[in-house]
Amino acid sequence: MTYCIAISLDKGLVLTSDSRTNAGIDQVSTYSKMFRFNTKADRCIAILSAGNLATTQCVIEQLNRDLRESNETSLNTTHYLSDTADYVGDVLSQRIKRYTEDQQSGFSPDATLLMAGQIKGQPPQAFLIYPQGNHITTSVDTPYLQIGESKYGKPVLDRFLTMQTSLTDAATCALISMDSTMKSNVSVGPPIEVLVYETDKLMFKHHYRFDAEDPFLINLRREWGNKLNQAFKEMPRIPESFSTDSTTGE
C-alpha cells in the first residue's frame, strides 16, 4: 500500500509520499513515488503515485518520452493545469486499458495519481487523477488530496489545514499525517519524501527525504506522541456519578 498527500495553499504546494511497495508480506521493496519533470521554464509539474507499480512506471516513462521527443501533446504544450491533468489521465487510462485482464485473474493494473504544479500566470493547483482518467481538484474548504491508505492520516489534515496555513506548518502537518498512517499500517513506510513549492517560483527548490532513522523524523514522532498523551491526560473525565441509565433512558 501507499500513502501520498498533495496540499494546495495560498502560498504554494506541499507534496508528501512514502516509498514502500509490497506485493505480499515477503515482497516488500522501496520505490520513490514522487516524480518531477524537466519541463519548460514557464511551468513546474510533479506527480505522486499509488497503485500498480508497473502501470505507474509506464505512465511516467510515456510522459518523459513525450517531453524528450517534443510531441504535439506533452507536459510542455498544455495551456492550463486542468488540461495537463486531462492529458495525464488519458495516458493513465489507456495504459490501464491495455493491461486489463479478466477480473478472475486477480490482477489489477489500476493506479491513481496526484499531479500538482503551476503554469506561469496561473495559481498553483493539485489534481487527483483516477484510473478512468477523470480528475478532481482541491477546494477552499478541503485544500488537500490523498491517495492510497488515506483514512489514518486524514483527521490531522482536517483539523489543522486552511488555505492560509504556512508552507512550513503544512509540511509538518503532512509529516504527522504520514506518521499516523505508518503507526497504523505497516504497508506504508519510509523513506518519506516532502516537496515544498512556493507560488510563482516555477521550480522545485525544496525537496526532503527522510529515512526511518532520520533524527528529525524520530523527534517529530516522539514530540507528537508526547503532546497527544499530554492532551489526553488533560481531557475532561466522565463523572463518577455517571450512569448509563441517564443516557439510555432505562
Side-chain angles (χ1 to χ4, degrees), residues 118-131:
Q118 184 178 18
I119 295 176
K120 188 175 182 179
Q122 303 170 32
Q125 288 180 282
F127 295 85
L128 191 163
I129 304 174
Y130 294 102

Side-chain angles (χ1 to χ4, degrees), residues 142-158:
T142 307
Y144 69 88
L145 298 165
Q146 303 166 284
I147 56 175
E149 192 59 76
S150 60
K151 55 183 176 291
Y152 303 110
K154 189 176 188 298
V156 67
L157 302 176
D158 287 333

Side-chain angles (χ1 to χ4, degrees), residues 18-20 30 182 188-192 210-213 217 221:
D18 82 316
S19 302
R20 183 166 293 173
T30 298
M182 291 190 294
V188 175
I192 306 303
F210 302 102
D211 295 319
E213 301 305 317
L217 199 61
R221 180 183 301 120

Side-chain angles (χ1 to χ4, degrees), residues 5-237:
I5 314 160
I7 302 172
S8 182
L9 307 169
D10 289 341
K11 296 181 179 179
L13 303 164
V14 175
L15 310 180
T16 309
S17 62
D18 82 316
S19 302
R20 183 166 293 173
T21 300
N22 72 85
I25 59 174
D26 58 347
Q27 296 185 44
V28 179
S29 304
T30 298
Y31 284 90
S32 175
K33 298 160 189 174
M34 180 179 291
F35 306 92
R36 292 165 285 173
F37 297 88
N38 185 24
T39 57
K40 295 191 299 185
D42 70 337
R43 65 194 61 203
C44 59
I45 296 169
I47 288 178
L48 310 180
S49 66
N52 186 276
L53 180 61
T55 298
T56 298
Q57 290 182 341
C58 287
V59 168
I60 299 302
E61 171 56 28
Q62 183 64 57
L63 298 180
N64 279 317
R65 183 182 302 171
D66 289 345
L67 284 172
R68 290 193 302 268
E69 297 178 355
S70 299
N71 288 344
E72 182 178 353
T73 302
S74 73
L75 297 178
N76 275 337
T77 62
T78 53
H79 298 293
Y80 300 94
L81 274 180
S82 58
D83 294 339
T84 311
D86 284 337
Y87 156 63
V88 174
D90 287 343
V91 174
L92 174 64
S93 62
Q94 290 169 13
R95 182 61 61 172
I96 290 173
K97 182 178 180 180
R98 177 178 176 181
Y99 290 147
T100 297
E101 297 181 353
D102 188 335
Q103 292 287 338
Q104 294 180 353
S105 70
F107 169 74
S108 174
D110 285 1
T112 308
L113 307 176
L114 292 176
M115 187 201 79
Q118 184 178 18
I119 295 176
K120 188 175 182 179
Q122 303 170 32
Q125 288 180 282
F127 295 85
L128 191 163
I129 304 174
Y130 294 102
Q132 295 79 11
N134 56 329
H135 52 78
I136 62 172
T137 188
T138 59
S139 70
V140 172
D141 295 319
T142 307
Y144 69 88
L145 298 165
Q146 303 166 284
I147 56 175
E149 192 59 76
S150 60
K151 55 183 176 291
Y152 303 110
K154 189 176 188 298
V156 67
L157 302 176
D158 287 333
R159 285 184 180 275
F160 298 117
L161 289 180
T162 69
M163 290 297 295
Q164 293 73 44
T165 302
S166 71
L167 294 178
T168 299
D169 286 350
T172 300
C173 188
L175 283 171
I176 291 173
S177 175
M178 181 66 70
D179 182 70
S180 298
T181 302
M182 291 190 294
K183 180 75 172 178
S184 298
N185 191 324
V186 296
S187 68
V188 175
I192 306 303
E193 292 186 80
V194 179
L195 189 63
V196 179
Y197 171 74
E198 299 176 66
T199 298
D200 293 334
K201 294 298 184 183
L202 297 178
M203 62 178 62
F204 294 119
K205 291 184 177 180
H206 307 292
H207 174 262
Y208 308 88
R209 186 179 188 273
F210 302 102
D211 295 319
E213 301 305 317
D214 187 281
F216 175 80
L217 199 61
I218 292 173
N219 185 55
L220 184 73
R221 180 183 301 120
R222 181 176 58 249
E223 287 299 311
W224 178 244
N226 290 341
K227 294 296 191 295
L228 284 178
N229 286 328
Q230 184 61 36
F232 177 76
K233 292 175 182 177
E234 296 175 358
M235 291 297 293
R237 291 297 188 264

